């Protein structure tokens, strides 16, 4: 991500009563119900939205709003009241119909458009100072010479360091319309004087492919975080690169992918399916059945394929996984997906706001709708993710809830189920012991991440001269006692009490190496290091071998 704070790994402890699990499930729910909203349905064109101007007659709602505005004991904001009314009305229909205020419209749509306007830096706020993690390749900041490790201390001559600045405030100061200018003052290691950069904002790409690399000889790995307008082109670029490196088999990672455009999901599934095979169909009361079939296009239609899913895989992710599972085309590995089979149409309103209304359901090739039930209450729907943890489903495949009455059979004779997500062919439990409790405490305190950045910044010149690329770093660098001692000294200096760790703590050296690698080579070092102990990826490699 760019002009936003950097991504972080998901960590869990070995204790079943992990205090961070509620946060984990909140993030999973956000993935399943957030990007899932953007899964739009277009009979003619999957990229366009419908333009609609609200009727302005004397309706019951308008009369009531007029009465409240004139007679309520306190002053009311009519626009806010209207927005809340619309949202409550939509939420009474289903969990995925939604209202987007005009003030949020651009921010909500940016991830699927694949770009935003800004200066093009990845940053973290460390010790109350904006620190550049990496400038985006080809972006305005990189072109002007802004480097990883730089401290942004002023924006438009106004101080932004040591004032308890928030991420939201950083966004507001650094983002702006393409072509507009912002002056950024930077402190750089080894240079005493502030450096001023007059940056002309531009279009900054938001990539939907987190990483692609050869995980083993002959086996490629591609992780997709969302199905945006640029995802298919990104996939082709990654696929061609891996093919040139000898890829014969592929791991497609859709874990945590909350969805996106139907068109993009169909394009991606088409790459793996033979001409004429069904991918998905949609149907609603006012929308006749529309079938999407694979075309003759496709660069990986017969090679071995594994798809990784989990409880955060929703909507368009489930279309791809369902299409490949129903056509006996891929092995699905992981945990039961989110279960979103409702299709939203976006209606743009005259004031710049928008409504996303559920207009249809989508069905996998065998005819199953994988939408999970929402007939009780919104709270019950939202809490279903945490219930999977409570009932043991994330740890034991025998605890997976399936509706045996909604049973379907693939052409190859495999039994699949509808009514609540995609059930994987091979179950891999949630890994609760990847990191020790001490490592988790050190990480969630923020101390480990801050130390990794400071350590990298101090040794950046030495490391970049020794390790020319991510592969060199992954193979050649191994943290040990010197880094542990430096970390403990850093923690003591920061006066963070009760945090200590040794080199033999489970997962510690791997995580520290990944964080240092991220600061040097971004995701191209970060993910390959963490993935070395990822149980789902290890199972996928085993299956493909």
């Amino acid at each position: 991500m760019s002009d936003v704070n950097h991504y972080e790994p998901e960590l869990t402890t070995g204790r079943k009563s992990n205090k961070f699990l509620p946060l984990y499930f909140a993030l999973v729910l956000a993935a399943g119900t957030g990007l899932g909203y953007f899964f739009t349905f277009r009979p003619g064109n999957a990229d366009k939205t419908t333009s609609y101007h609200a009727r302005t007659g004397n309706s019951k709602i308008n009369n009531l709003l007029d009465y409240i505005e004139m007679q309520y004991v306190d002053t009311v904001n009519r626009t806010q009241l209207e927005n809340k009314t619309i949202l409550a009305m939509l939420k009474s229909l289903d969990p995925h119909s939604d209202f987007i205020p005009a003030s949020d419209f651009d921010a909500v749509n940016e991830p699927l458009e694949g770009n935003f306007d800004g200066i093009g830096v990845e940053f973290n706020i460390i010790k109350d100072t904006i620190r550049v993690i990496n400038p985006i390749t080809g972006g305005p900041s990189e072109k002007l010479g802004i480097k990883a490790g730089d401290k942004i201390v002023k924006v438009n001559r106004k101080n932004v360091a040591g004032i308890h600045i928030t991420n939201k405030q950083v966004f507001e100061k650094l983002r702006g319309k393409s072509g507009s200018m912002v002056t950024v003052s930077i402190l750089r290691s080894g240079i005493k004087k502030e450096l001023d950069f007059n940056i002309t904002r531009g279009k900054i790409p938001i990539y939907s492919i987190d990483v692609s690399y050869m995980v083993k000889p002959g086996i490629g790995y591609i992780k997709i975080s969302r199905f945006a307008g640029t995802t298919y082109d990104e996939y082709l670029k990654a696929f061609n690169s891996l093919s040139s490196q000898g890829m014969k088999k592929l791991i497609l990672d859709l874990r945590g992918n909350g969805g996106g455009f139907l068109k993009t999901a169909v394009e991606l599934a088409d790459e793996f399916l033979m001409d004429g095979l069904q991918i998905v169909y949609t149907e609603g009361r006012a929308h006749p059945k529309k079938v999407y079939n694979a075309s003759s296009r496709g660069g990986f239609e017969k090679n071995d394929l594994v798809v990784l899913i989990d409880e955060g895989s929703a909507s368009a992710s489930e279309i791809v996984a369902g299409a490949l599972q129903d056509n006996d085309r891929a092995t699905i590995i992981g945990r039961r997906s989110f279960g979103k089979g409702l299709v939203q149409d976006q209606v743009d309103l005259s004031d710049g706001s928008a409504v996303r209304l559920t207009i249809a359901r989508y069905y996998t090739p065998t005819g199953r709708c994988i939408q999970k039930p929402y007939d009780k209450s919104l709270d019950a729907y939202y809490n279903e993710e945490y219930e999977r943890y409570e009932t043991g489903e994330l740890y034991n495949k025998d605890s997976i809830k399936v509706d045996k009455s909604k049973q379907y059979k693939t052409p190859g004779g495999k039994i699949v189920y509808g009514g609540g997500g995609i059930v994987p062919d091979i179950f891999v439990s949630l890994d609760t012991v990847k990191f020790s409790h001490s490592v988790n405490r050190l990480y969630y305190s923020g101390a480990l991440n801050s130390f990794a950045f400071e350590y990298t910044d101090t040794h950046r010149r030495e490391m970049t001269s020794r390790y020319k690329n991510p592969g060199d770093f992954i193979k050649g660098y191994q943290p040990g006692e010197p880094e542990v001692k430096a970390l403990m000294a850093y923690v003591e200096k920061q006066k963070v009490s009760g945090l200590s760790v040794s080199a033999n703590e489970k997962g510690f050296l791997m995580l520290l190496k990944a964080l240092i690698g991220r600061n040097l080579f971004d995701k191209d070092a970060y993910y390959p290091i963490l993935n070395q102990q990822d149980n789902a990826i290890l199972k996928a490699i085993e299956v493909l071998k």
Side-chain angles (χ1 to χ4, degrees):
M1 294 185 289
S2 312
D3 295 6
V4 296
N5 54 327
H6 212 74
Y7 45 74
E8 305 293 349
E10 293 176 355
L11 307 180
T12 55
T13 69
R15 304 168 66 187
K16 194 165 185 178
S17 59
N18 178 12
K19 66 180 179 179
F20 298 115
L21 275 170
L23 174 60
Y24 167 75
F25 286 108
L27 293 173
V28 167
L29 185 64
T33 63
L35 285 180
Y37 288 169
F38 303 161
F39 171 61
T40 55
F41 171 79
R42 295 285 171 267
N45 189 326
D47 291 326
K48 293 182 179 178
T49 55
T50 304
S51 180
Y52 174 78
H53 295 276
R55 185 163 56 93
T56 57
N58 289 324
S59 69
K60 185 188 300 184
I61 293 176
N62 279 332
N63 288 338
L64 178 58
L65 290 172
D66 290 340
Y67 175 65
I68 292 172
E69 191 174 28
M70 289 186 294
Q71 300 294 331
Y72 187 63
V73 62
D74 296 319
T75 302
V76 298
N77 184 313
R78 184 179 179 109
T79 299
Q80 290 182 358
L81 196 60
E82 287 176 343
N83 292 350
K84 289 178 180 178
T85 302
I86 295 171
L87 181 61
M89 182 167 54
L90 292 170
K91 287 303 178 186
S92 71
L93 300 174
D94 68 83
H96 297 293
S97 291
D98 199 15
F99 173 72
I100 306 168
S103 59
D104 298 338
F105 186 84
D106 289 340
V108 167
N109 280 282
E110 281 171 357
L112 288 189
E113 292 175 352
N115 62 72
F116 68 93
D117 295 343
I119 70 169
V121 294
E122 294 175 349
F123 74 91
N124 259 347
I125 299 175
I126 299 174
K127 289 194 284 189
D128 206 13
T129 303
I130 305 167
R131 303 295 295 269
V132 176
I133 302 297
N134 275 297
I136 301 301
T137 302
S141 294
E142 188 210 34
K143 290 178 180 177
L144 288 178
I146 291 176
K147 299 179 179 180
D150 285 347
K151 301 177 182 179
I152 299 178
V153 293
K154 293 179 182 176
V155 177
N156 287 333
R157 312 297 179 185
K158 294 183 179 179
N159 182 48
V160 294
I163 62 170
H164 306 293
I165 195 166
T166 65
N167 289 327
K168 182 180 179 181
Q169 290 170 331
V170 177
F171 304 156
E172 291 170 349
K173 292 178 182 298
L174 298 185
R175 291 188 174 191
K177 291 185 178 181
S178 288
S180 63
M181 184 172 289
V182 59
T183 300
V184 173
S185 301
I186 278 174
L187 285 179
R188 180 170 296 167
S189 179
I191 301 177
K192 294 182 179 180
K193 186 180 178 182
E194 285 183 9
L195 303 175
D196 289 337
F197 293 87
N198 295 318
I199 307 173
T200 301
R201 297 181 178 98
K203 290 289 182 184
I204 310 301
I206 302 176
Y207 296 109
S208 52
I209 290 188
D210 288 336
V211 69
S212 63
Y213 66 100
M214 295 297 292
V215 69
K216 290 288 182 182
I219 301 178
Y221 170 87
I222 300 177
K223 179 175 177 59
I224 303 177
S225 60
R226 67 184 67 86
F227 287 87
T230 60
T231 302
Y232 182 61
D233 289 337
E234 290 180 49
Y235 167 80
L236 291 179
K237 182 178 180 180
F239 173 81
N240 290 332
S241 175
L242 295 180
S243 296
S244 68
Q245 298 174 56
M247 179 180 68
K248 302 298 180 186
K249 304 176 182 182
L250 175 62
I251 301 170
L252 183 67
D253 194 344
L254 300 181
R255 291 176 297 176
N257 184 322
F261 290 130
L262 166 63
K263 177 177 180 289
T264 306
V266 170
E267 287 175 332
L268 184 67
D270 195 358
E271 285 294 305
F272 308 114
L273 295 172
M274 300 292 289
D275 186 16
L277 291 178
Q278 189 177 126
I279 296 173
V280 67
Y281 69 88
T282 59
E283 191 170 18
R285 180 183 62 83
H287 296 270
K289 180 177 180 180
K290 180 173 178 60
V291 179
Y292 297 83
N293 291 325
S295 68
S296 57
R297 179 187 62 197
F300 208 76
E301 295 178 342
K302 295 182 179 180
N303 301 62
D304 290 346
L305 175 66
V306 164
V307 178
L308 306 182
I309 61 170
D310 65 6
E311 53 281 349
S313 305
S315 191
S317 294
E318 294 171 299
I319 288 178
V320 174
L324 299 177
Q325 186 179 54
D326 282 14
N327 283 295
D328 298 303
R329 175 62 189 90
T331 302
I332 312 299
I333 295 178
R335 297 183 294 278
R336 180 165 65 102
S337 63
F338 181 84
K340 180 185 181 297
L342 299 178
V343 183
Q344 282 73 52
D345 181 31
Q346 180 169 299
V347 178
D348 295 336
L349 303 180
S350 58
D351 67 345
S353 62
V355 166
R356 286 180 175 144
L357 181 69
T358 296
I359 61 167
R361 292 179 174 84
Y362 73 73
Y363 300 83
T364 68
T366 58
R368 53 181 172 148
C369 179
I370 49 81
Q371 173 64 46
K372 62 184 179 183
Y374 57 90
D375 54 348
K376 293 181 180 178
S377 68
L378 285 178
D379 284 344
Y381 186 83
Y382 296 147
N383 291 336
E384 191 270 342
E385 293 305 300
Y386 190 72
E387 286 178 10
R388 297 191 193 187
Y389 163 70
E390 288 289 315
T391 59
E393 178 177 331
L394 303 186
Y395 305 98
N396 188 346
K397 66 178 180 180
D398 294 331
S399 299
I400 297 177
K401 288 184 179 180
V402 293
D403 188 344
K404 295 295 180 66
S405 67
K406 297 178 180 178
Q407 190 177 108
Y408 301 82
K409 187 177 290 187
T410 70
K414 180 167 55 183
I415 301 298
V416 293
Y417 298 94
I422 301 292
V423 177
D425 303 316
I426 298 175
F427 176 82
V428 175
S429 68
L430 179 67
D431 188 355
T432 59
V433 292
K434 182 181 293 184
F435 303 98
S436 72
H437 182 63
S438 296
V439 172
N440 272 303
R441 289 191 66 240
L442 190 63
Y443 174 78
Y444 282 109
S445 72
L448 184 58
N449 186 62
S450 297
F451 166 76
F453 186 87
E454 296 291 348
Y455 185 86
T456 306
D457 211 29
T458 302
H459 298 84
R460 190 178 300 275
R461 183 174 299 178
E462 169 194 341
M463 286 185 162
T464 52
S465 64
R466 180 179 300 177
Y467 309 112
K468 302 298 184 183
N469 55 58
D472 289 346
F473 177 83
I474 294 168
K475 292 177 183 178
Y477 177 71
Q478 184 57 45
E481 286 299 333
E483 285 83 353
V484 175
K485 290 180 180 178
L487 171 62
M488 291 301 97
Y490 178 83
V491 170
E492 184 177 347
K493 184 178 179 182
Q494 299 302 313
K495 298 180 180 180
V496 183
S497 61
L499 294 177
S500 63
V501 71
S502 65
N504 60 4
E505 291 279 359
K506 185 172 180 60
F508 169 64
L509 293 181
M510 179 194 71
L511 179 57
L512 179 58
K513 179 178 178 178
L515 291 173
I516 293 173
R518 182 188 71 182
N519 292 325
L520 287 172
F521 299 106
D522 202 29
K523 60 189 179 182
D524 293 326
Y526 179 74
Y527 283 112
I529 293 170
L530 286 184
N531 288 348
Q532 290 173 359
Q533 295 185 24
D534 187 303
N535 288 338
I537 294 176
L538 294 176
K539 174 59 71 174
I541 293 171
E542 178 186 324
V543 167
L544 290 174
K545 282 187 173 180

